[in-house]
Amino acid sequence: MSIRVLIADDQAVSRQGLRMILGSQPDIEVIGEAIDGLDALGQVERKRPDVVLMDIRMPRMDGLEATRRLRDDPAVQVIVITTFDLDEYVLEALRAGAVGFLVKDSTPELIIDAVRVVHRGDALIAPEVTRRLLAQFTAAAPARAGDPALDELTPRERDVLLGIAAGRSNAAIAATLDLEESTVKKYVVRMLAKLGLASRVQAVIFAYETGLVAPGDGPRAG
């Protein structure tokens, strides 16, 4: 079955460009275009896409607010794609529940891959954005060191969290831990629920903010 994609952007040229890129793929179907966040919410309700490509700056309702309102819908994955790769936009988008962040000048190959990756249940952030975010986490002291929620995780759930924070896919985590990929997916769901997180990306942020992992040092023992 095709991956059903909704494009939300107030600029017609951007929507058309994304439609051309994604529509060229046999496994991706663009099922609609929304002109702002409010329109996107309505179309999500009616058309039930698998993935939403969401711009940030839009009239009536911006992409960040629309993403927050979709956060509790597990069937819909949001990739924020915007002209502005400012750090505050990135962090706000990820905390709002987006599972991916791309800039609009990303290559067609990266945009196509992002849709496939998030549909599989993984997360994707543009490499140049990831580097800046890790540098930012390195410079800032952990805000939630010793979070008691970590004590609720089983050893396997903690291993899965460390794998996600290291940027590994479910398949890569499964290979590392000698588990079935379907088993890893179950651990991911349970781990996110225990930590009160909405997505893998939020799990990465949590891992860095609590000091569980440190950029450049790899996962910390414990």
Side-chain angles (χ1 to χ4, degrees):
M1 295 180 64
S2 297
I3 304 170
R4 295 163 55 82
V5 177
L6 174 69
I7 299 169
D9 196 307
D10 62 327
Q11 297 183 351
V13 172
S14 294
R15 295 197 306 271
Q16 291 167 4
L18 289 170
R19 177 181 280 275
M20 289 179 62
I21 290 170
L22 297 173
S24 66
Q25 302 303 301
D27 61 331
I28 297 175
E29 177 188 5
V30 178
I31 62 169
E33 298 179 14
I35 60 174
D36 56 35
L38 197 60
D39 187 17
L41 294 179
Q43 293 205 42
V44 166
E45 182 68 25
R46 296 191 304 272
K47 300 180 178 180
R48 303 307 299 164
D50 301 308
V51 177
V52 179
L53 286 180
M54 187 83 74
D55 188 23
I56 289 183
R57 289 188 174 181
M58 295 185 289
R60 293 202 301 172
M61 180 185 292
D62 65 27
L64 296 177
E65 179 59 28
T67 299
R68 290 188 195 96
R69 298 193 185 192
L70 292 173
R71 180 165 49 193
D72 295 329
D73 189 339
V76 181
Q77 307 298 321
V78 177
I79 301 172
V80 167
I81 181 166
T82 179
T83 305
F84 308 97
D85 65 342
L86 301 176
D87 290 342
E88 58 266 31
Y89 280 164
V90 179
L91 288 172
E92 187 64 24
L94 301 183
R95 288 186 171 121
V99 296
F101 189 100
L102 296 173
V103 288
K104 288 185 178 178
D105 61 358
S106 297
T107 64
E109 292 78 14
L110 182 56
I111 294 171
I112 292 167
D113 186 53
V115 169
R116 292 172 176 153
V117 165
V118 302
H119 185 249
R120 289 200 306 264
D122 291 321
L124 188 143
I125 310 174
E128 67 274 15
V129 176
T130 302
R131 285 193 294 270
R132 287 208 318 274
L133 285 180
L134 293 183
Q136 181 173 325
F137 280 123
T138 302
R144 300 162 62 183
D147 194 304
L150 286 171
D151 297 332
E152 300 298 318
L153 300 182
T154 66
R156 269 290 186 243
E157 290 164 354
R158 191 182 180 96
D159 288 340
V160 168
L161 174 57
L162 288 170
I164 291 173
R168 300 190 185 106
S169 65
N170 284 348
I173 294 172
T176 300
L177 299 179
D178 195 23
L179 298 171
E180 295 292 331
E181 187 173 352
S182 59
T183 303
V184 171
K185 289 181 179 179
K186 293 177 183 177
Y187 280 128
V188 171
V189 171
R190 290 204 293 264
M191 178 270 295
L192 292 177
K194 286 183 178 181
L195 297 180
L197 304 174
S199 70
R200 296 170 67 93
V201 176
Q202 290 187 351
V204 174
I205 293 174
F206 176 90
Y208 280 104
E209 287 184 333
T210 57
L212 184 64
V213 292
D217 296 336
R220 290 185 180 174

